[in-house]
Amino acid sequence: MESETAKTTLTMTSLRKESRLRTITALLRKDWQLYSLLILPIIYLIIFKYGPMLGNVIAFRRFVPGGSIFGETWVGFRYFQMFIQDPTFWKVFGNTLMLGGLALLFTFPVPIIFALLLNEVKSKRFKKFVQTASYLPHFLSIVIVAGMILQLTAVNGSINGIVSFFTGDSIPFMQRAEWFRTIYITSEVWQGMGWGAILYLAALTTIDDSLYEAARIDGANRWKQTLHITIPGILPTIVTLLILNMGNFLAVGFEKILLLYNPLIYETSDVISTYLYRVGLQSSNFSYATAIGLFESIIGLILVFSVNAISRRLTQRSLW
């Protein structure tokens, strides 16, 4: 009897697999033109994202220039021990956590607030103008943005022109470590505010207007409508973007920092990515740099899984 039951179960399983395979085949035949558009992105991901992961093996092997790309000799966790015992690494790790935390604290909620404010604007022309003006900084090259920041914060720049008018003195912003974080976070908010609000504005359009009408009948003002209808309506989008942003928590903007920082402000501006650039490329210590990069990736993966689990428990919403 048990053998017959097992045979029946196997038969049902095989039938289900065949049914799924037929369904997938039918979908591919029906919409093959659309699925063909995925070929180039998949090739890109394989070559530039998944393929380079094989190179992580040199974090455990000694890489010699001119030798095998997968290292010459096995050294185990030697390079991990090196950066754990390196005080410079922990200094840049602390800077990365500080900049990542400040970026998450300011750059994540600002687009939400901006989208909520835009949603209250009644004039369509003014709304479109503000949207367009706020989107533009996102499309500027990092080099242009860094150049603008350096020009504005220069001793003879526009900001110091205002400061010297009121105080009589100029501040060398980019030569003082205590100013770097403020300048960097401000530029991140300015550059990403409009672009980050796009998804929230799209989510706001999906909220049923009848909910607002019912709330107004019940006597709810605009603040209560926002608190009890608007924010819960875009909460799934907020949670999804928060989880995705946590994956890049330690991946603080390498290009902008590299263009802005200098040895005088390493104390607050030097982060893991710039440290990897100096150690890995400029000093040709590729195995050591790979070990640090692998450590950073593992921390990011842990953060994503942790935030996803917390979100699933607290809000019943998650990516998986």
Side-chain angles (χ1 to χ4, degrees):
M1 189 69 180
E2 292 180 357
S3 60
E4 292 180 359
T5 304
K7 289 180 180 178
T8 304
T9 303
L10 290 172
T11 303
M12 292 296 293
T13 303
S14 61
L15 289 174
R16 288 173 183 171
K17 289 181 178 179
E18 289 179 2
S19 177
R20 291 175 183 174
L21 184 61
R22 290 175 182 173
T23 303
I24 293 172
T25 304
L27 289 174
L28 289 174
R29 288 179 178 176
K30 180 181 178 181
D31 300 318
W32 67 268
Q33 296 95 336
L34 294 176
Y35 288 109
S36 64
L37 298 176
L38 293 173
I39 295 175
L40 288 179
I42 290 174
I43 293 174
Y44 169 81
L45 289 174
I46 292 174
I47 295 176
F48 295 103
K49 300 297 182 180
Y50 292 101
M53 288 184 181
L54 297 174
N56 285 327
V57 71
I58 66 173
F60 308 95
R61 298 176 66 88
R62 183 172 178 269
F63 177 81
V64 178
S68 172
I69 61 173
F70 298 111
E72 298 295 327
T73 57
W74 182 267
V75 295
F77 291 95
R78 177 175 179 269
Y79 295 109
F80 292 89
Q81 294 174 352
M82 285 175 59
F83 75 71
I84 288 174
Q85 297 171 0
D86 184 3
T88 304
F89 168 77
W90 291 110
K91 187 175 182 179
V92 300
F93 184 73
N95 287 338
T96 305
L97 289 178
M98 180 62 70
L99 281 176
L102 290 173
L104 190 66
L105 180 64
F106 290 100
T107 61
F108 184 75
V110 166
I112 301 173
I113 298 171
F114 182 63
L116 293 175
L117 292 175
L118 275 180
N119 192 52
E120 298 297 323
V121 176
K122 301 302 181 183
S123 174
K124 291 184 178 180
R125 288 186 178 181
F126 180 72
K127 186 176 182 179
K128 289 182 178 179
F129 171 76
V130 173
Q131 283 181 298
T132 304
S134 62
Y135 295 163
L136 287 177
H138 175 78
F139 297 99
L140 294 177
S141 168
I142 296 295
V143 177
I144 296 175
V145 173
M148 292 172 61
I149 294 171
L150 292 174
Q151 288 292 329
L152 290 171
T153 58
V155 176
N156 297 322
S158 302
I159 295 177
N160 266 315
I162 299 173
V163 173
S164 61
F165 177 79
F166 288 101
T167 64
D169 296 323
S170 298
I171 302 174
F173 291 103
M174 298 310 294
Q175 282 77 45
R176 293 186 179 179
E178 64 269 18
W179 281 102
F180 178 78
R181 289 168 181 164
T182 302
I183 294 170
Y184 176 80
I185 297 300
T186 303
S187 67
E188 285 289 289
V189 171
W190 169 73
Q191 193 174 6
M193 177 178 65
W195 182 257
I198 291 177
L199 291 176
Y200 300 113
L201 289 171
L204 287 170
T205 60
T206 63
I207 300 176
D208 191 354
D209 290 335
S210 62
L211 296 175
Y212 292 104
E213 294 177 3
R216 284 193 292 269
I217 293 173
D218 291 338
N221 56 28
R222 296 300 300 175
W223 169 249
K224 290 184 178 180
Q225 291 176 36
T226 302
L227 191 63
H228 298 289
I229 299 175
T230 307
I231 294 179
I234 64 174
L235 187 60
T237 305
I238 294 174
V239 171
T240 301
L241 293 178
L242 176 61
I243 295 172
L244 294 175
N245 284 342
M246 288 306 298
N248 296 321
F249 182 77
L250 295 180
V252 184
F254 165 70
E255 296 89 352
K256 184 182 290 185
I257 294 177
L258 185 67
L259 293 168
L260 291 176
Y261 83 153
N262 60 73
L264 294 175
I265 56 175
Y266 275 177
E267 182 182 349
T268 56
S269 63
D270 198 15
V271 293
I272 292 178
S273 56
T274 54
Y275 180 65
L276 285 178
Y277 171 75
R278 293 200 311 275
V279 172
L281 295 181
Q282 294 184 339
S283 301
S284 300
N285 198 345
F286 300 109
S287 294
Y288 182 63
T290 302
I292 298 175
L294 186 60
F295 172 78
E296 180 186 2
S297 300
I298 292 172
I299 295 296
L301 185 65
I302 292 172
L303 286 174
V304 169
F305 276 93
S306 300
V307 173
N308 188 75
I310 294 171
S311 173
R312 184 170 58 248
R313 176 167 293 187
L314 296 180
T315 65
Q316 286 74 49
R317 294 181 175 90
S318 60
L319 286 180
W320 62 87

